[in-house]
Amino acid sequence: MKNYTSFYLLLLSLCLYIPANAQEKMLHGRVTDAASQKPLPFVTITNTANKKLSLKADADGNFTIPAAQSKTTYLFSYVGYKSRSIAVSPADTAIRVAMESDISGLNEVVVIGYGSQKKKDLTSAVSSVSGKELSEMPVTNINSALQARVPGVQITNGGFEPGAGTNIKIRGINSIEGGGSPIYVVDGVILSGDIREINPYDIESIDVLKDASAAAIYGSRAAAGVIIITTKKAKSGRSSIDYNGYYGVQKIYRSYDFIGAQDYIKLRRIALSDEDPDAWPLNDPKTDSVVFSFRELQSLAAGKSYDWVDAITQVAPMQSHTLSISNGIGRNKIYLSGNYLNQDGIIINSNMKRYSMKGNMESAVTDKVTMGLNTNFSHVETNGVGKGTYYSAVTQSPLRPIYDSLGRPFVELDPGSGNIVSDNPVAMARDAVNQAVDDRFLGNLFLDYKVIRNLNFRSSLGLDVYKEQKFQYLPRNTSGDGFVKGGVAKVENFGWRDWVWENTLTYDYNPSEQHSLNILGGFTYQKRRQEWNYEEASGFPTDVLTYKNIKAASRRDDINSDYWNRVINSVLGRVIYKFKDRYIFNFTARYDGSSNFGPENQHGFFPSVSGAWRLVDEPFIGYKLKSLMSDAKIRVSYGLIGNQDITYDKIYTRMDASAYPYNGNSQTSGYQLGGNAGNSILQWESQRQFNTGFDLAFFNSRVQASFDFYNKNVHNLLLNQALAPSQGFSNKMINVAALNTRGIDISLKLWPVKTNNFDWQINLNWSKYTSKITSLLPGRDSLSPTLKVGEAPNSLIVDYVFDGIYQEGDDFTLNPSGRPGDARVKDLNKDGVINDYDRAIVGRTTPKGWGGVWNYFRYKRLSMTVFTTYMYGHDVYDRAYTDYLYMGQGRNVIIKEGLNYWTPTNTNTDIPRPNAFGASLRMLRNGSSSYATEKGDFIRVRDITMAYDFSPNLLNRLKVRSLRAYVQVMEPFLFTSYRGIDPEINGSTDQKTDIYPRYRTFLVGVNLGL
């Protein structure tokens, strides 16, 4: 018995010893980024001998694993980093694992529409931008952050006032009369209109589908390209709180140098005397009484002058704050964020405020069923100023007082007519109302069901609800209708309710290691209800209530409304086949039915095919070549996509309200046919696009290059055909024209230096395209001066050709009443008369190339980013600059360069002499000539950012996950020969004045993670 007792005591001692020893024999470690030394959270750690013993590091990169009883290999893997194998011996008690980022990006997942695909398997032209890259340049509109970052995507500003939108083209011109903007897909919801309501900090990634193969899955709406936006969601196994905020100021940095009061006085006198020196001699008090108004004469006598531009502009603050909370632990993942943006404008009383809230929830209901909800709500308030406000300020007489004795904007009346002499820009900015309120809700409810192994069903219900309200009021102290009608109020309501139901089945079939198939099939249903109404009234007893009591008006000037309903049914499918992981084929098709068209042409079929050959994975690529070449892939695609962006009144003839005389004495209300004849047999605009490209990487992906060539033939283009008056209609929309666009997109990524302490990364891209109309109406090669076969649609600048200034002794046959110092234009057809037949193509607005250069430098925890954009080979119609040069035709204030005008002793100039009635400009039939067209080439440093990431030791003491502070300047430098304010905005011939000044922004910001 004693022996048994001893045995049990020994056994008990061993049992107690083993756990104690096991607790002592634990291996502790930490995973960090090799370059920045920052911890990597939730890295997957796999025991290669026993995968059941695998685990994840915690939020700070720390991990604890049982000590090895024998030599064991662990595999550390993390998205965006190279996997690393570490051999652990029984003697090891602590290890530190430094992981290098996978700069090749080949394993990154790209969203391709109704699915995703690894970047290395792409067969079509898709470009991606991460949310981190977008947040590098704080902007109010996502498109602005995409400028020059994606090859083939051309983005220009629609203006610089707060809330201004952007114009975007993907791979050139895609239509003449139809819509030319891409569609946006946000978390599966297909959107219309702008996307300024989305907070850029809520974006995880943006994928741009550029060729027909990539976009064909969206069929009839993809002709102008597709932009897929994926918003942030909770990360698995991680909880976090993040704050991103910045504060900055905006200052005018590029403006004209206008003449001062003394030069203005002198020029006004000279300009009137030039018309008739005998009737209006210089420096004569009687002449001054004609030149200047009573108020100007008072200022002249008192020696006073006024700075109008300074009165309406300001140094404008700007701030943004985003707080997000994420919880990915357990079966339910939740992401919540809120954003407040407040941007004041450079012009007083202009402002935009945006309040947005985002919520994502995903729940693993069972092992087979996952449900989720994505929502985004935004409320945007915009205060704008009239388009003529800034122009009025820069052209206002510096002798006219800004305020009256009571501090109100001064209003000067013409004693003869009783009308306002000139608008007071302060009154236009401060007293006139120009407000807009936008509310938008985006929602997506989805269900994923794993039917069987590798077969997945997804059902998604998306909702897009938008409402825009515009309120305008022109008070009595503004000229035009505001003064004449005793106040004018305008109220406009516009909105839509758009919902889409999508159902897809996805099956992955992998019969062997050499073959794999991904098969997608589905159907969608989308319906939109859109409404618009408008009311205008005038004659108010007071301006105090503005538009808020419209029933007080004595006149109802206009009441109007519109309604639109649309349905789109679709069936779609896609097959992706891979053979040996290096031969990849993609077959996509979509069949759309749209109520936008008449019964005969409501359906369209949009197929595509593409393939890729991963040359780098071929066995015949030897070891030596593979040691240099990290990637080599060739891509080819061809597909058909469409454009169905037309309105009902192009298909059906509109009925407009009208009144008819009855018995010769009274009128009876009724209806009449609208001016456009409906065409029920209109068809889709169809686009056939071929794309070929290659992707290369060398030296462990330190050099990456991508090249694409595309050729697009667009058929059945919509055109307005002018009709004879006998038909009772002015025009009719028909499918008749054709267009060809071809171009090249190139991107290059370089890592010249990559060490633990210092990094230097360069991203470059370059794009170009050529668009040409190949046919118009039968037998016609031109429909207007800017719409011609062989030219890009509406890209021509057509004007008279400037021929210098008339000198003494010149032939004045073309200008019989002319004098030396007059502007002169050429008689191109030599008929002795200047008329419309002497106008010619003097410029083309399509650039020969554009792109961007992004430089990133990092020394330890200090980093700097420099982003530069460029554009060249295009012309800009700069009417504003030429107007500011010339004294006459109503212009009085000119820029200082305009002082170099013609005189008998200053003949070597191209600026006409001053004349109060514009007599020296009479040959400029529309007020301009080719002199207003100039080269728009530029290089713009768009953004410089200096940032500091605080050390892990400090973060641990502060109990925070990450902390980054930065300073930033936006638009610091512009290099151009363009003489106007901005070569990116004054590109169209209808842009005759500068409507809003450009500004430079200085910011300080912080990113904090808990």
Side-chain angles (χ1 to χ4, degrees):
M1 184 69 181
K2 184 176 181 180
N3 291 335
Y4 284 110
T5 303
S6 301
F7 173 76
Y8 286 128
L9 289 173
L10 177 62
L11 183 62
L12 179 61
S13 300
L14 288 173
C15 291
L16 293 172
Y17 172 77
I18 291 172
N21 189 55
Q23 286 180 349
E24 293 174 4
K25 291 281 187 177
M26 298 298 289
L27 179 65
H28 302 278
R30 194 178 198 192
V31 189
T32 61
D33 180 282
S36 66
Q37 302 301 313
K38 294 173 62 177
L40 294 178
F42 309 112
V43 173
T44 300
I45 306 169
T46 304
N47 186 321
T48 57
N50 186 354
K51 293 185 178 180
K52 291 183 178 180
L53 299 179
S54 301
L55 71 158
K56 284 190 176 185
D58 65 16
D60 297 316
N62 298 314
F63 63 90
T64 302
I65 55 178
Q69 301 301 312
S70 61
K71 192 170 184 178
T72 306
T73 300
Y74 286 90
L75 179 66
F76 293 78
S77 57
Y78 193 67
V79 176
Y81 286 77
K82 295 179 181 178
S83 297
R84 186 174 178 185
S85 296
I86 301 292
V88 179
S89 66
D92 294 328
T93 58
I95 60 172
R96 188 179 181 92
V97 182
M99 300 184 68
E100 294 183 355
S101 61
D102 182 7
I103 59 178
S104 69
L106 295 178
N107 290 317
E108 292 178 1
V109 175
V110 176
V111 180
I112 56 174
Y114 302 98
S116 60
Q117 197 173 15
K118 286 186 177 180
K119 186 178 179 181
K120 70 183 184 69
D121 295 333
L122 286 175
T123 58
S124 51
V126 180
S127 293
S128 300
V129 180
S130 68
K132 180 181 178 182
E133 292 176 289
L134 290 173
S135 63
E136 288 170 354
M137 193 166 75
V139 291
T140 60
N141 191 305
I142 296 170
N143 284 341
S144 297
L146 286 175
Q147 274 185 315
R149 287 184 181 269
V150 179
V153 178
Q154 185 181 3
I155 299 174
T156 55
N157 293 302
F160 301 114
E161 62 268 36
T166 55
N167 303 311
I168 181 168
K169 294 178 184 175
I170 296 180
R171 291 191 161 184
I173 301 172
N174 299 289
S175 184
I176 298 176
E177 301 281 355
S181 298
I183 62 169
Y184 299 91
V185 183
V186 180
D187 292 330
V189 182
I190 300 175
L191 306 186
S192 301
D194 203 354
I195 53 171
R196 66 173 185 164
E197 296 89 2
I198 299 176
N199 176 22
Y201 280 105
D202 283 332
I203 293 178
E204 184 71 28
S205 66
I206 295 181
D207 299 281
V208 183
L209 313 186
K210 297 187 289 187
D211 69 346
S213 172
I217 198 73
Y218 293 101
S220 63
R221 288 166 287 187
V226 181
I227 298 177
I228 300 179
I229 299 174
T230 304
T231 61
K232 291 179 179 178
K233 298 175 176 62
K235 308 294 184 186
S236 296
R238 173 179 172 181
S239 295
S240 63
I241 299 176
D242 291 275
Y243 167 78
N244 298 283
Y246 61 82
Y247 178 86
V249 293
Q250 304 155 103
K251 296 182 178 181
I252 295 177
Y253 81 95
R254 186 175 170 89
S255 61
Y256 296 105
D257 190 6
F258 287 93
I259 59 175
Q262 294 306 311
D263 285 325
Y264 170 79
I265 294 167
K266 178 182 176 182
L267 276 179
R268 287 285 299 272
R269 289 167 173 166
I270 291 173
L272 183 62
S273 182
D274 180 78
E275 183 68 16
D276 190 342
D278 295 328
W280 297 306
L282 282 174
N283 302 318
D284 188 309
K286 292 183 179 179
T287 302
D288 281 355
S289 66
V290 177
V291 172
F292 304 107
S293 69
F294 173 73
R295 293 293 184 180
E296 288 178 309
L297 288 172
Q298 285 184 323
S299 298
L300 191 62
K304 292 182 178 180
S305 63
Y306 304 90
D307 189 337
W308 283 93
V309 174
D310 184 67
I312 70 157
T313 58
Q314 62 182 354
V315 174
M318 177 184 183
Q319 61 180 308
S320 174
H321 307 278
T322 300
L323 181 65
S324 60
I325 302 172
S326 174
N327 183 6
I329 299 174
R331 302 179 71 92
N332 299 314
K333 301 175 184 177
I334 298 176
Y335 176 87
L336 299 172
S337 80
N339 170 254
Y340 168 70
L341 171 71
N342 189 346
Q343 180 188 12
D344 281 341
I346 292 296
I347 296 180
I348 60 173
N349 207 36
S350 57
N351 171 271
M352 184 189 80
K353 293 180 182 178
R354 182 182 66 208
Y355 308 84
S356 67
M357 294 187 65
K358 177 159 193 63
N360 293 332
M361 183 184 71
E362 186 175 307
S363 177
V365 181
T366 67
D367 291 339
K368 286 192 171 185
V369 178
T370 301
M371 295 186 67
L373 176 66
N374 302 314
T375 62
N376 188 94
F377 174 76
S378 64
H379 174 80
V380 182
E381 299 175 358
T382 305
N383 284 320
V385 293
K387 290 185 176 181
T389 303
Y390 181 67
Y391 181 79
S392 178
V394 298
T395 58
Q396 197 69 233
S397 166
L399 300 178
R400 182 166 290 121
I402 300 175
Y403 302 102
D404 61 20
S405 59
L406 299 177
R408 300 171 303 190
F410 176 75
V411 177
E412 183 177 1
L413 300 179
D414 186 329
S417 65
N419 293 326
I420 294 178
V421 173
S422 177
D423 262 321
N424 185 318
V426 175
M428 295 172 68
R430 196 180 74 177
D431 297 337
V433 177
N434 191 4
Q435 298 175 349
V437 178
D438 298 354
D439 291 300
R440 192 169 196 175
F441 174 81
L442 303 175
N444 172 250
L445 178 65
F446 67 89
L447 179 144
D448 279 327
Y449 175 53
K450 296 179 182 178
V451 183
I452 56 175
R453 183 182 178 185
N454 296 330
L455 179 63
N456 190 73
F457 170 74
R458 181 182 177 93
S459 183
S460 171
L461 181 65
L463 185 65
D464 178 10
V465 180
Y466 177 75
K467 182 180 181 181
E468 178 188 53
Q469 296 175 290
K470 290 184 178 180
F471 308 101
Q472 292 181 298
Y473 186 79
L474 300 175
R476 288 168 172 76
N477 60 353
T478 58
S479 65
D481 288 347
F483 177 79
V484 174
K485 293 186 176 182
V488 177
K490 303 175 183 179
V491 178
E492 184 176 358
N493 291 281
F494 172 73
W496 64 68
R497 291 181 293 280
D498 209 344
W499 65 272
V500 56
W501 185 34
E502 299 181 325
N503 298 273
T504 58
L505 272 172
T506 306
Y507 182 59
D508 289 302
Y509 179 57
N510 304 292
S512 68
E513 291 183 0
Q514 293 187 345
H515 302 275
S516 69
L517 274 171
N518 176 271
I519 304 171
L520 169 75
F523 69 89
T524 74
Y525 178 86
Q526 185 169 6
K527 185 174 183 178
R528 157 174 285 209
R529 175 190 174 102
Q530 181 173 297
E531 298 171 338
W532 170 81
N533 58 70
Y534 175 83
E535 183 176 3
E536 180 178 334
S538 60
F540 290 86
T542 176
D543 291 329
V544 173
L545 295 178
T546 65
Y547 63 86
K548 297 173 184 176
N549 189 18
I550 203 167
K551 67 180 181 181
S554 59
R555 291 180 296 273
R556 299 290 187 270
D557 297 321
D558 191 10
I559 297 177
N560 208 341
S561 65
D562 197 7
Y563 173 84
W564 188 39
N565 205 352
R566 181 186 72 186
V567 174
I568 300 176
N569 286 306
S570 307
V571 178
L572 57 95
R574 179 173 61 216
V575 176
I576 300 175
Y577 169 65
K578 288 196 298 182
F579 176 61
K580 294 184 177 181
D581 271 341
R582 57 181 182 266
Y583 308 106
I584 310 164
F585 301 93
N586 186 316
F587 306 91
T588 303
R590 183 168 180 136
Y591 186 72
D592 276 337
S594 172
S595 63
N596 273 17
F597 297 88
E600 298 179 24
N601 294 298
Q602 285 189 338
H603 296 88
F605 181 61
F606 305 95
S608 76
V609 59
S610 60
W613 176 26
R614 289 194 52 77
L615 183 65
V616 71
D617 293 332
E618 288 290 353
F620 60 77
I621 302 294
Y623 173 78
K624 289 185 178 180
L625 185 56
K626 275 193 174 183
S627 65
L628 297 175
M629 188 168 60
S630 312
D631 185 37
K633 182 175 68 173
I634 299 173
R635 297 175 279 105
V636 179
S637 70
Y638 182 81
L640 173 67
I641 47 182
N643 177 21
Q644 54 100 50
D645 192 8
I646 61 173
T647 55
Y648 277 156
D649 57 359
K650 306 302 184 210
I651 305 169
Y652 306 107
T653 303
R654 181 184 292 273
M655 300 291 289
D656 293 331
S658 184
Y660 300 85
Y662 183 74
N663 293 332
N665 297 318
S666 60
Q667 290 187 339
T668 302
S669 298
Y671 297 92
Q672 67 178 13
L673 296 177
N676 299 326
N679 182 3
S680 62
I681 60 171
L682 283 178
Q683 302 178 32
W684 316 82
E685 290 186 338
S686 60
Q687 179 187 123
R688 295 173 175 85
Q689 183 177 163
F690 168 79
N691 186 94
T692 184
F694 60 80
D695 305 310
L696 296 174
F698 300 95
F699 311 118
N700 196 25
S701 296
R702 294 276 291 271
V703 178
Q704 299 178 25
S706 180
F707 171 90
D708 279 276
F709 167 79
Y710 59 90
N711 186 31
K712 301 190 294 186
N713 288 300
V714 191
H715 301 278
N716 295 326
L717 281 173
L718 297 170
L719 269 184
N720 260 322
Q721 180 186 24
L723 301 177
S726 59
Q727 296 196 28
F729 299 97
S730 58
N731 52 60
K732 179 181 181 179
M733 188 72 78
I734 58 174
N735 294 103
V736 66
L739 173 70
N740 174 263
T741 297
R742 60 182 63 190
I744 297 172
D745 299 334
I746 298 176
S747 66
L748 182 64
K749 294 184 178 182
L750 306 171
W751 280 263
V753 182
K754 184 171 179 60
T755 67
N756 287 340
N757 289 331
F758 183 68
D759 278 354
W760 177 20
Q761 180 182 343
I762 308 173
N763 292 357
L764 308 96
N765 66 77
W766 175 80
S767 304
K768 73 164 295 180
Y769 70 86
T770 302
S771 290
K772 293 182 179 180
I773 298 174
T774 54
S775 67
L776 287 168
L777 294 176
R780 300 280 299 275
D781 62 0
S782 176
L783 295 182
S784 73
T786 61
L787 202 60
K788 301 174 181 290
V789 170
E791 298 286 352
N794 303 315
S795 66
L796 302 177
I797 303 175
V798 178
D799 213 332
Y800 297 97
V801 179
F802 184 74
D803 196 27
I805 303 296
Y806 276 107
Q807 306 293 339
E808 295 283 354
D810 284 352
D811 183 1
F812 284 85
T813 302
L814 295 174
N815 187 12
S817 59
R819 294 161 46 196
D822 283 3
R824 180 170 59 186
V825 298
K826 290 183 178 181
D827 179 18
L828 296 181
N829 63 357
K830 307 298 182 182
D831 64 353
V833 179
I834 299 298
N835 52 32
D836 286 345
Y837 296 101
D838 295 305
R839 301 175 73 203
I841 298 173
V842 297
R844 290 172 171 84
T845 59
T846 302
K848 292 182 179 178
W850 78 92
V853 181
W854 181 84
N855 276 278
Y856 171 77
F857 308 90
R858 181 192 62 83
Y859 177 69
K860 294 185 177 179
R861 288 184 291 276
L862 183 66
S863 63
M864 181 175 74
T865 303
V866 181
F867 181 47
T868 304
T869 63
Y870 63 89
M871 187 179 292
Y872 65 92
H874 66 295
D875 300 298
V876 176
Y877 180 74
D878 190 9
R879 174 66 181 272
Y881 178 81
T882 56
D883 276 355
Y884 295 154
L885 275 179
Y886 298 158
M887 178 71 170
Q889 284 190 335
R891 275 218 53 94
N892 296 318
V893 181
I894 63 174
I895 54 180
K896 288 184 178 179
E897 292 94 318
L899 294 176
N900 186 32
Y901 53 82
W902 185 94
T903 68
T905 58
N906 184 39
T907 59
N908 187 24
T909 181
D910 53 11
I911 302 174
R913 71 183 195 281
N915 182 277
F917 301 96
S920 59
L921 307 175
R922 62 170 59 92
M923 289 197 74
L924 307 182
R925 303 287 294 271
N926 65 344
S928 75
S929 67
S930 61
Y931 189 84
T933 300
E934 27 179 328
K935 295 297 181 183
D937 303 1
F938 70 87
I939 298 175
R940 185 190 298 278
V941 180
R942 194 172 293 276
D943 170 68
I944 299 176
T945 303
M946 294 286 293
Y948 183 80
D949 290 280
F950 289 85
S951 68
N953 292 332
L954 176 63
L955 299 182
N956 288 335
R957 290 198 299 268
L958 296 176
K959 304 299 182 181
V960 300
R961 187 181 77 254
S962 62
L963 179 59
R964 179 175 184 261
Y966 63 89
V967 294
Q968 186 174 45
V969 56
M970 299 173 65
E971 315 286 353
F973 304 110
L974 174 65
F975 304 96
T976 181
S977 61
Y978 177 74
R979 297 173 298 182
I981 291 297
D982 188 76
E984 289 187 86
I985 191 171
N986 284 353
S988 61
T989 55
D990 59 355
Q991 183 65 52
K992 296 182 173 60
T993 62
D994 291 300
I995 59 177
Y996 206 94
R998 189 145 191 163
Y999 48 85
R1000 178 179 291 140
T1001 307
F1002 301 88
L1003 293 168
V1004 293
V1006 63
N1007 307 131
L1008 173 65
L1010 300 176

